[in-house]
Amino acid sequence: MTYNMKFFIDTASLAQIREAHELGVLDGVTTNPSLMAKEGISGEQRVQQHYIDICNTVDGDVSAEVISTDFTGIVTEGERLAALHPNIVVKVPMIKEGVKAIKYFTGKGIKTNCTLVFGAGQALLAAKAGATYVSPFIGRLDDISQDGVQLIAQIRRIYDNYGMSTQILAASIRHPLHIVQCAELGADVATCPLSAITALFNHPLTDSGLEKFLADHKKAQAATEKVK
Ligand code: G3P
């Protein structure tokens, strides 16, 4: 377990990545084929250039997902992605061929993120294959009335039982409470939409408190001016 919860942003939008980076709390980026499609990024060259652009914007791990679903395809694609930049993490789906490929990448020193994880058994397999990160999708579990946050607690217990070094990357985060709950449970990373990160700033007592401080300062300032 690491003792600094990392914040990743879950987007392929360079504008949002820059905005999150400027907040000074961003540790990395995750993307997936849907997020790349949302930005209109397609074609091997454009996709590769986009990953390089993301890596040049943020100093931290950047997950780039493979499209192939067979071992040879995943390995070929993953090696190509990993060669783009030292911060690239090859994102591989939780399927048999994917776990085999994670084992292969681990042997080659290539970082991996095992994605589409919805059960503790899957997380155990990913860790045994040596995945750098495992991505439990908590929001999508909540969507089908299963407790996504409890999956984080279960994986934490399992990994801690055996000192497994795979980092729990809580994914499919929908709101700031998810981030706080994941932090309470010891998730190593939360990958979030920008809106969930910025929502962490908000508290009505902060707003009203600041308003009062500034008003009081203005009054005191006006009184001083009068005396002069
Ligand atoms: O990047 C994977 C994950 O975070 C997807 O989230 O909101 O599409 O369920 P979502």
Side-chain angles (χ1 to χ4, degrees):
M1 181 172 167
T2 50
Y3 288 93
N4 172 23
M5 189 197 202
K6 288 185 266 187
F7 278 10
F8 289 180
I9 186 167
D10 196 27
T11 185
S13 156
L14 281 174
Q16 289 198 8
I17 293 167
R18 273 190 215 107
E19 193 177 331
H21 175 65
E22 279 161 17
L23 294 174
V25 295
L26 190 65
D27 301 297
V29 178
T30 54
T31 62
N32 63 38
S34 305
L35 294 170
M36 292 292 274
K38 198 173 160 194
E39 297 307 310
I41 312 289
S42 63
E44 198 176 333
Q45 270 192 341
R46 273 198 76 204
V47 166
Q48 291 187 352
Q49 187 53 51
H50 199 72
Y51 285 134
I52 292 169
D53 291 345
I54 294 176
C55 289
N56 289 337
T57 306
V58 174
D59 184 21
D61 283 349
V62 173
S63 287
E65 188 159 340
V66 297
I67 307 301
S68 308
T69 52
D70 64 293
F71 176 79
T72 312
I74 295 173
V75 163
T76 309
E77 218 185 309
E79 284 183 330
R80 231 176 263 155
L81 288 168
L84 294 175
H85 193 281
N87 288 353
I88 289 284
V89 175
V90 181
K91 202 171 178 189
V92 180
M94 167 38 75
I95 52 176
K96 273 186 198 162
E97 299 287 289
V99 171
K100 276 160 62 182
I102 288 172
K103 180 79 186 169
Y104 170 87
F105 289 133
T106 304
K108 294 272 173 194
I110 293 174
K111 289 180 282 187
T112 53
N113 174 355
C114 184
T115 189
L116 289 166
V117 166
F118 295 93
Q122 293 178 321
L124 184 55
L125 283 171
K128 282 188 69 67
T132 315
Y133 298 102
V134 66
S135 289
F137 279 27
I138 64 175
R140 291 193 194 181
L141 280 170
D142 289 356
D143 289 345
I144 58 157
S145 303
Q146 292 188 16
D147 192 340
V149 165
Q150 274 318 302
L151 177 60
I152 301 294
Q154 208 181 356
I155 299 172
R156 182 74 281 155
R157 279 197 298 276
I158 292 169
Y159 285 5
D160 287 352
N161 280 347
Y162 300 103
M164 286 170 149
S165 59
T166 296
Q167 295 179 52
I168 303 171
L169 192 166
S172 185
I173 283 189
R174 300 282 159 75
H175 47 70
L177 183 59
H178 268 157
I179 303 177
V180 173
Q181 289 170 322
C182 286
E184 284 184 302
L185 293 168
D188 300 285
V189 190
T191 190
C192 320
L194 181 61
S195 57
I197 299 176
T198 53
L200 289 174
F201 283 101
N202 302 337
H203 197 289
L205 291 179
T206 305
D207 297 340
S208 57
L210 182 60
E211 205 177 310
K212 173 105 175 61
F213 283 158
L214 296 179
D216 288 346
H217 170 77
K218 210 172 165 185
K219 261 190 252 163
Q221 196 72 10
T224 315
E225 295 298 319
K226 245 190 197 168
V227 173
K228 271 188 197 169

